[in-house]
Amino acid sequence: MSERRHDGTGAGEDGFVLHAVQGMASFSREEWDTLGGACRSDSNTSPSDSGTAYNPFISYDFLSILEESGCVAARTGWQPVHLRLEDTDGAVLGAVPCYLKSHSQGEYVFDHGWADAFERAGGRYYPKLQVSVPFTPASGPRLLVRQGADGAAVRAALAQGLKALAGQLDASSVHVTFAEAPDIAALEEAGFLHRTDTQFHFVNEGYGSYDDFLATLASRKRKALKRERREAVAAGIEIDRLTGRDLTEAAWDDFFAFYMDTGSRKWGRPYLNRRFFSLVGERMADDVLLVMARRGGRYIAGAINFIGADTLYGRNWGCIEDHPFLHFEVCYHQAIDFAIARGLKAVEAGAQGEHKLARGYRPVTTRSAHHIAHPGLRRAVADYLERERREVEMAGQYLDEHGPFRKEGSSE
């Protein structure tokens, strides 16, 4: 696809120039690192209108690795068409990681029903535009703003640019998933529909140890988790945490075997290839935590996590031996241990899974925004989302009330 340009006007008399570009190579690392949340050097700055704490998934390395490894490409149904917003001097003011898609796989915010209904009615749902981090159900900035720029004006221009790009590419819709509040506000102002869902996150309330966390739970829940952690390693299993220089190619070989086994069983075709993990180990080793379970001198299970400025993001898990509770230990309990030790504020443990609630993860609302070009489909989706938002809110309240934490005034 040739480069496309959309000229618009931002706040006041400021001019914006908007390009659709074919990949991360259209940005220099230095340009991308000026965007809020994309560079580790801004990790210790407090979030502002144009900046946020470092998120590894919107880093130059992560998004580039997806493309360089071939996991993201036109042939996989994820064709990069990133937006690049410049001022009239050519300096980058903002960007959007965006993909032209021919299917709805690897997104975790499901629109299969919308696609089926529209195509049964004679419409053409694909291609569509997807604004997300591929294969990654973690919330973060989506309308990226250069630090120090006018965040409201840049986000407004990017939101309008997405709608214009959809028209130029004859895309049925634009889907901005796992977005944060400032982006959702700008997108709603531009006419996007608001959708909600629920994930389960651990929130670190300043705990000094795992036992401090356990003390906040009801007595019965504390005992259950202690027993669960003991039984998870009862078969002579030891747990290793690998990060930085410990991430050898041999460790990646083992983890990739786990990933392929689980991926093949769960969704048929794993999204990430072996080269992806080598490149992550080469360029992002300090942002990665592999939790690996070892028995009899070999690794038998593992989970990959990514480390942000204030959040640990749990991603993929796999195993070649089944042991009771090992999945919970490797994915959830070890993540809490690490977050407490590092002083991280939260653990995001990925999509779905009410079983996380019993392990001290709380229900948290996630958000997305959707532009639907066809008026009839838009009306139908808007009605559906209004009902869905109410249901998500009620379910979240119910889950929060029935969590494992001690109730106020309880003597347990």
Side-chain angles (χ1 to χ4, degrees), residues 181-199:
D183 294 341
I184 292 294
L187 292 162
E188 283 195 288
E189 182 67 23
F192 282 62
L193 303 174
H194 182 198
R195 189 175 194 184
T196 59
D197 202 351
T198 301
Q199 285 187 349

Side-chain angles (χ1 to χ4, degrees), residues 32-43 52-55 58-60 147:
W32 194 266
D33 283 353
T34 66
L35 303 174
C39 180
R40 181 169 283 283
S41 65
D42 70 349
S43 295
T52 188
Y54 173 67
N55 183 309
I58 62 163
S59 68
Y60 188 86
Q147 297 176 59

Side-chain angles (χ1 to χ4, degrees), residues 89-113:
D89 294 325
V92 170
L93 290 173
V96 179
C98 184
Y99 305 87
L100 187 67
K101 294 209 62 195
S102 57
H103 55 70
S104 292
Q105 304 300 319
E107 298 167 6
Y108 302 93
V109 175
F110 302 111
D111 63 345
H112 304 290

Side-chain angles (χ1 to χ4, degrees), residues 108-124:
Y108 302 93
V109 175
F110 302 111
D111 63 345
H112 304 290
W114 306 356
D116 292 345
F118 194 45
E119 293 186 359
R120 283 199 305 270
R124 183 174 60 88

